[in-house]
Amino acid sequence: MTTFTEETRERAREIIARYPADRSRSALLPLLHLVQSEEGYVSPAGVEFCAEVLGLNKAQVGAVATFYTMYKRKPTGDYLVSVCTNTMCNVLGGQEVYDTLAEHLGVGHDETTADGKITLEHAECLAACDYGPVMTVNYDFFDNVDPQGALGVVEELRAGGRPMPTRGARLCTLKEMAVQLAGFADERDGAVADGGPGEPTLRGLRLAEQHGISVPGFDPNTPIRSKAEADRAAAEAKARAEAAKPAPAAEPAKPAAATGSTAPDVKAPDDKSPQVRTAETRQPDAGTAVADAPGTKVPTDTTAPAPRDAQAAESAGAAANPPAGDGKPAGDEAGAQQRNLKEAEAGAGANGAGPAVASETGVQK
Ligand code: FES
């Protein structure tokens, strides 16, 4: 079992100190990155370490560690190559990139090459759809990759090189990246990148400028309300809403009691219109403006609404696209019966007599 170094323990104390004393369990996510920075994955020893320093049990730590894909559950290569195969990247060729790498490296999803250098995984959206297809190496981006470009990157990594990502800082190993993810700065020269967003990211802004589209200005100095102020404002809004509610409708007169009668207790007939009943059923408390509520008007236009375009289109589509599943076109059952009947009649005609005649003449086919 791993014994974590004193440096790691010191860093763990530093991470925990970032959080209020009674909220130390919030340090769990960076701590999991920290143990991953030492072992390359979150081992059972790493889980135990986190539980120990945070006063949690191992099940609590394990539940978090197994939820997020960035926490690896088995030893990982120096370089984690993640290829996005989600929708946008996929239609742009992401799956071809992944398949090419998998075949070339001889590994599948979440597997590591025999030399321990590269772990390959397919990833869901890497939040860079405007640069698709994308892949990351230890979470640094390679944009607009194609199969040949991706092969070049992994071959350079295997040869000991560190290719420059399209955006961001220099590549580092997965363990080095885990230190950063735990919240510690990378001190290497060139480790921190700067620069603005790329042109694909700005495309929407350019179009808005081109077409004169703007949004109301945002004032970053708008004061944020305290909880007490927010509660007061909510209470005032609720009171205003209550005051604006229409007065309840007068109770309808109750039918006279059937004194001494043995007849079953029959409810008074409900003379409300179906429109009113439907509204009350759907929103019993909403004070819906209904036809017989005081101060409301009964709609005079009782013409049935014309079918909307969408409904018409759906009907037309359903007619033109019979249900799939059995491979038969709609109405095939009736069509088949008619065809069978015609074939039977034709066959009987070719034999010189229909079925009834054949029966009369005693000819059996
Ligand atoms: S679909 Fe690939 S980055 Fe979003």
Side-chain angles (χ1 to χ4, degrees), residues 19-346:
Y19 298 87
D22 59 343
R23 297 280 190 279
S24 63
R25 65 167 55 192
S26 299
L28 180 54
L29 296 184
L31 278 173
L32 286 166
H33 284 300
L34 182 70
V35 296
Q36 191 157 264
S37 76
E38 187 157 332
E39 296 191 287
Y41 73 116
V42 179
S43 68
V47 169
E48 192 171 336
F49 175 81
C50 292
E52 174 198 323
V53 297
L54 291 176
L56 301 173
N57 62 46
K58 288 189 282 185
Q60 289 170 311
V61 176
V64 175
T66 55
F67 182 81
Y68 296 102
T69 56
M70 287 176 82
Y71 300 124
K72 303 302 175 191
R73 300 169 67 185
K74 58 187 181 185
T76 309
D78 294 335
Y79 299 101
L80 174 67
V81 175
S82 314
V83 182
C84 179
T85 53
N86 209 309
T87 310
M88 178 63 84
C89 287
N90 213 338
V91 297
L92 294 170
Q95 189 65 48
E96 285 79 37
V97 173
Y98 177 85
D99 291 343
T100 302
L101 289 182
E103 188 177 345
H104 179 76
L105 297 171
V107 295
H109 170 67
D110 203 22
E111 291 178 355
T112 302
T113 51
D115 60 8
K117 290 269 188 199
I118 292 175
T119 297
L120 179 68
E121 69 176 8
H122 72 79
E124 299 307 321
C125 184
L126 290 169
C129 316
D130 42 354
Y131 297 96
V134 295
M135 75 176 197
T136 58
V137 177
N138 295 342
Y139 308 114
D140 279 318
F141 280 98
F142 290 81
D143 300 334
N144 304 121
V145 285
D146 58 20
Q148 286 310 312
L151 282 178
V153 170
V154 297
E155 278 312 296
E156 194 173 339
L157 291 172
R158 293 179 99 181
R162 291 197 180 183
M164 275 302 289
T166 314
R167 293 173 286 139
R170 281 178 17 189
L171 275 190
C172 57
T173 66
L174 189 59
K175 287 183 179 178
E176 290 167 342
M177 177 54 80
V179 175
Q180 296 178 53
L181 293 170
F184 297 94
D186 185 346
E187 308 288 356
R188 296 171 306 149
D189 284 346
V192 179
D194 55 12
E199 203 45 45
T201 306
L202 295 171
R203 179 73 179 133
L205 176 64
R206 301 271 183 263
L207 284 170
E209 287 171 347
Q210 190 181 328
H211 295 281
I213 300 167
S214 63
V215 294
F218 168 68
D219 177 8
N221 296 318
T222 300
I224 298 172
R225 285 192 296 207
S226 69
K227 182 168 185 324
E229 289 169 333
D231 288 347
R232 194 163 48 245
E236 287 169 4
K238 188 176 177 188
R240 280 197 299 277
E242 287 291 330
K245 272 190 180 175
E251 282 276 315
K254 289 185 180 170
T259 311
S261 168
T262 56
D265 184 16
V266 179
K267 285 190 176 177
D270 183 356
D271 56 357
K272 289 178 183 173
S273 73
Q275 188 187 17
V276 173
R277 278 200 299 275
T278 303
E280 288 182 347
T281 305
R282 287 184 179 162
Q283 288 187 287
D285 301 315
T288 311
V290 293
D292 64 350
T296 59
K297 289 182 182 173
V298 179
T300 51
D301 182 6
T302 54
T303 312
R308 289 178 296 153
D309 288 347
Q311 289 173 327
E314 187 177 341
S315 304
N321 294 283
D326 60 4
K328 296 176 185 173
D332 188 64
E333 208 55 43
Q337 285 174 5
Q338 285 178 353
R339 277 197 303 278
N340 290 343
L341 189 58
K342 281 183 183 167
E343 283 167 12
E345 286 171 350

